[in-house]
Amino acid sequence: MRRLGLILVLLGSAAARADLFSPGDLAKAHQNLEGLSNCTRCHPAGQQLSQQNCLACHKELLPRIEKSAGLHGRLSGEKRDCERCHKEHAGRDHDLMGWGAAGKKGFDHGRTGWALKGGHAKLECTDCHEKRRMVWPVALKLLEVRPHTMLGLPRECEDCHFDEHRGQQQEDCAYCHNEKAWKPAPGFDHNETDYKLTGKHTKVKCSGCHPSVKDPEKHGFPAPKSETFLRFADVPFGSCLDCHKDVHDGRFGLRCQSCHSTVDWRTIHNASKEREFHDKTKFPLKGAHLDVDCKACHGPFKGIPAKFKGLAFKQCTDCHADAHLGQLGVAKGPPDCTTCHTVDAFTPARYGLAEHQKTRYPLDGAHAVVPCDACHAATPALSKAIPKAVQADLKKRGRPERFSFAQYRFTKDTAACDSCHEDVHKGQLSKVQGGCAGCHQVSSFAKVTFDHDKGSRYPLTGKHRETACTKCHFAPKAGAAVVYKPLETVCSACHPDEHAGQFAPPGGGPTDCEKCHTTDGFRQLVFQHAPPFTDYLLDGQHAQVACEKCHPKVTVARKVQAARYKPLPRTCEGCHADFHRGAFSGFEP
């Protein structure tokens, strides 16, 4: 009976009941669930821990589990029971993460679906699991209520690492690199590029051909490892002279390969001599043709036997695909490629300013020094114009696809400036007679022929003629166009009212400053202290008094003062002291 009474006493207290049935204190993260009344929030009445109840609070895990993704989603059956890893009632300081006996560093990251290999295996957890790398909005939301989370990391290389190539390489990083180290790049093979390395070129360091460029931009997180990078894209290689100096100063032409090879500079051969038999045919080999493999022209190709007689060769297009995709075609047939190109190399083209002057758009003024690609820009859409039959034929013959996607045929009116140039005025001056040429010249955009007196409704006079354009015409905010119209022409639109509205018309509206002032200078007045300007005529000694004696400076706003003109007293005693002390107060003259 004593034992029963003791139990009844203990059960009389809610706290005592909680202590009696609880197997131990909850961890700090769950301490708000302490107490007998909260047990069923995790444990349904009469049952074990409910996984559904856990997910009711930890909702961020549910989408991952449903997709079988991540650590929790990859677990199955009883292994997914929360209490197998996250054990509770082990005390306030117990770690709920459930890293296992080996602790956090012994955790098998492969269980998440992302095994740590190579350089990744050496990193600390916080090197990757930090807020700046997280992209999942749900994980970022969690950080608002808890100090950290392991969720929310992306899995692509560029999501964590800065692109050290600055966008030059479009392939997946894993195409060249692996997780072992950034350098060397084991997957990269220079012979899979358009320029195969042979002979002594195979021993040249990357930096010997690819110059180091300093990145002008400042980058945030993740930061680049270096502010310099090697330029891989747009490195010319069509001619030996793109990299090497011509020690012969052009005496032997531009085809170094005619005598030299990559085996050794001093190993000389004569390609012309080796193929002199071809000079006896109707098509002697010259220039770059000397280096072409016989099979490239004569075959055999897949399904086509070798052919040595009867090959067409009168036109370049008999062998070469039209690199310009028909843009430079003529009415009588294919274009004459030799107008611009030579057999030495496709580039550079021998088409210069003199040739351009014969087109329907001669280059004048500043246009004469504009780089060709500024107007004839590469247009990716032209790649779709390559005939499928041409691509198939090139592939069959083992020839590379060498096409120029520069735009030469324009659909817009080339005589109109806006066919090439952006309208920086955003349509404000679209009705100007003559269009852009009404103000600008081709010699320089900055040289303007605009006459403000004749071409606008506001002729410039006086000081206005000396004022810089930007004082009146400026962009209201960064990125916006400079405002030319509509602009107010009243003085108050540009100048502050020095008189603080004292001369504003009674019905409202802007002050007519020109009644008193001119554009020659603010202090050069047309105002006279006499009618019709004022009915208070200055005579006698008044005519010699300085203006500020009667019109003193008064404070009209914080740190703002103005001369007082209205209202002012008009009686003598309003300005002068009565030296007679009222003796003549009732006197009428």
Side-chain angles (χ1 to χ4, degrees):
M1 294 295 292
R2 289 181 180 177
R3 185 176 299 173
L4 178 59
L6 178 59
I7 292 175
L8 292 174
V9 170
L10 291 172
L11 292 177
S13 166
R17 289 200 303 272
D19 292 340
L20 179 64
F21 292 103
S22 175
D25 289 338
L26 296 174
K28 289 180 181 179
H30 291 154
Q31 63 182 342
N32 63 312
L33 299 176
E34 288 281 13
L36 190 60
S37 61
N38 288 324
C39 294
T40 55
R41 293 182 63 181
C42 299
H43 305 275
Q47 299 180 30
Q48 295 297 321
L49 181 67
S50 167
Q51 313 306 318
Q52 287 73 23
N53 285 13
C54 293
L55 292 176
C57 286
H58 297 279
K59 298 177 181 178
E60 67 276 4
L61 298 176
L62 191 57
R64 307 285 289 164
I65 292 175
E66 290 176 343
K67 294 179 181 179
S68 298
L71 174 63
H72 297 90
R74 293 166 64 86
L75 299 173
S76 61
E78 295 182 354
K79 293 181 180 180
R80 191 177 284 177
D81 291 345
C82 305
E83 67 270 18
R84 290 180 64 90
C85 298
H86 309 289
K87 300 184 182 300
E88 259 296 4
H89 296 290
R92 285 283 189 270
D93 297 326
H94 177 65
D95 186 3
L96 288 177
M97 291 301 292
W99 297 111
K104 183 186 291 188
K105 291 188 176 181
F107 175 71
D108 180 8
H109 210 281
R111 294 169 58 193
T112 67
W114 179 265
L116 297 181
K117 302 176 183 178
H120 288 158
K122 303 174 185 178
L123 299 175
E124 295 292 333
C125 301
T126 52
D127 290 337
C128 297
H129 293 279
E130 63 143 316
K131 183 177 181 179
R132 290 180 297 177
R133 297 191 190 276
M134 294 179 184
V135 297
W136 193 24
V138 175
L140 294 171
K141 194 73 176 176
L142 278 176
L143 292 179
E144 297 178 5
V145 296
R146 62 177 65 173
H148 60 84
T149 180
M150 293 294 181
L151 302 174
L153 288 188
R155 301 181 63 162
E156 300 299 329
C157 302
E158 62 269 20
D159 290 326
C160 289
H161 300 278
F162 180 81
D163 178 11
E164 299 294 339
H165 298 307
R166 273 71 171 182
Q168 296 180 92
Q169 308 300 315
Q170 301 302 320
E171 296 86 356
D172 180 15
C173 303
Y175 185 81
C176 299
H177 303 279
N178 60 26
E179 295 169 289
K180 186 176 181 180
W182 171 255
K183 295 179 180 180
F188 177 73
D189 184 356
H190 211 292
N191 288 335
E192 293 181 1
T193 70
D194 291 335
Y195 189 79
K196 296 178 175 57
L197 298 182
T198 59
K200 289 201 169 183
H201 284 168
T202 59
K203 301 178 182 180
V204 178
K205 292 182 178 180
C206 303
S207 56
C209 299
H210 299 281
S212 180
V213 180
K214 186 173 182 180
D215 192 342
E217 297 185 22
K218 299 296 181 183
H219 301 279
F221 181 87
K225 293 182 178 295
S226 173
E227 64 177 4
T228 62
F229 63 96
L230 293 182
R231 191 177 75 191
F232 292 114
D234 300 325
V235 176
F237 59 85
S239 167
C240 300
L241 301 179
D242 288 329
C243 293
H244 300 279
K245 181 181 178 181
D246 182 6
V247 297
H248 304 301
D249 295 326
R251 293 191 300 273
F252 300 110
L254 304 176
R255 298 291 302 169
C256 306
Q257 307 94 301
S258 297
C259 298
H260 303 280
S261 72
T262 58
V263 174
D264 189 274
W265 174 254
R266 292 179 175 81
T267 300
I268 307 298
H269 72 278
N270 191 330
S272 298
K273 183 70 175 177
E274 293 172 2
R275 300 191 178 188
E276 63 181 5
F277 71 93
H278 215 291
D279 292 342
K280 300 175 183 179
T281 70
K282 294 179 181 180
F283 190 76
L285 297 181
K286 299 177 181 179
H289 289 157
L290 285 168
D291 299 321
V292 176
D293 186 56
C294 302
K295 182 181 177 180
C297 297
H298 297 285
F301 308 113
K302 187 176 181 180
I304 303 176
K307 185 176 182 180
F308 296 95
K309 289 186 177 182
L311 289 178
F313 59 85
K314 290 184 178 181
Q315 301 290 340
C316 298
T317 51
D318 289 335
C319 291
H320 300 278
D322 180 3
H324 301 297
L325 302 168
Q327 295 187 83
L328 305 181
V330 293
K332 296 181 180 180
D336 182 7
C337 304
T338 59
T339 302
C340 303
H341 305 283
T342 69
V343 292
D344 288 321
F346 183 74
T347 56
R350 60 178 185 184
Y351 187 90
L353 182 60
E355 288 74 22
H356 209 293
Q357 302 305 76
K358 299 174 183 178
T359 69
R360 59 191 178 94
Y361 192 82
L363 299 179
D364 298 323
H367 288 163
V369 295
V370 174
C372 303
D373 57 2
C375 297
H376 302 284
T379 307
L382 283 174
S383 62
K384 299 179 181 179
I386 303 175
K388 298 294 183 183
V390 171
Q391 287 182 308
D393 185 65
L394 291 174
K395 184 176 181 180
K396 180 171 59 179
R397 296 174 182 271
R399 295 180 180 178
E401 290 188 11
R402 291 178 178 168
F403 295 96
S404 169
F405 299 129
Q407 186 78 45
Y408 292 102
R409 183 173 293 173
F410 299 99
T411 56
K412 294 183 178 180
D413 180 11
T414 54
C417 300
D418 58 2
S419 65
C420 290
H421 299 279
E422 178 188 1
D423 178 10
V424 297
H425 304 309
K426 306 299 182 184
Q428 298 177 81
L429 308 178
S430 59
K431 295 183 179 180
V432 172
Q433 187 175 3
C436 303
C439 299
H440 302 281
Q441 304 176 50
V442 292
S443 59
S444 172
F445 181 79
K447 290 183 178 180
V448 180
T449 57
F450 177 73
D451 187 338
H452 212 290
D453 296 344
K454 298 178 180 179
S456 77
R457 59 192 177 96
Y458 191 79
L460 298 180
T461 59
K463 293 289 186 180
H464 288 165
R465 189 171 292 278
E466 304 171 9
T467 304
C469 304
T470 53
K471 290 293 186 179
C472 300
H473 302 285
F474 53 87
K477 61 180 180 180
V482 174
V483 177
Y484 290 95
K485 55 189 307 188
L487 283 180
E488 295 290 339
T489 58
V490 295
C491 301
S492 57
C494 294
H495 302 280
D497 184 357
E498 299 288 342
H499 306 308
Q502 297 177 78
F503 299 106
T511 301
D512 184 9
C513 305
E514 292 176 333
K515 289 180 64 176
C516 299
H517 302 277
T518 70
T519 58
D520 292 328
F522 182 75
R523 299 186 181 281
Q524 296 184 25
L525 303 178
V526 295
F527 174 81
Q528 299 292 327
H529 220 297
F533 298 98
T534 176
D535 59 358
Y536 193 85
L537 180 65
L538 294 182
D539 53 8
Q541 291 293 325
H542 283 170
Q544 302 176 26
V545 176
C547 302
E548 58 269 18
K549 290 295 185 179
C550 297
H551 302 285
K553 293 277 188 179
V554 295
T555 301
V556 295
R558 186 179 181 184
K559 296 183 179 181
V560 177
Q561 289 188 324
R564 183 175 183 177
Y565 294 97
K566 294 182 178 182
L568 283 179
R570 301 171 67 91
T571 61
C572 299
E573 59 269 22
C575 294
H576 302 280
D578 184 4
F579 291 101
H580 302 296
R581 298 183 180 181
F584 298 99
S585 59
F587 178 75
E588 292 290 341

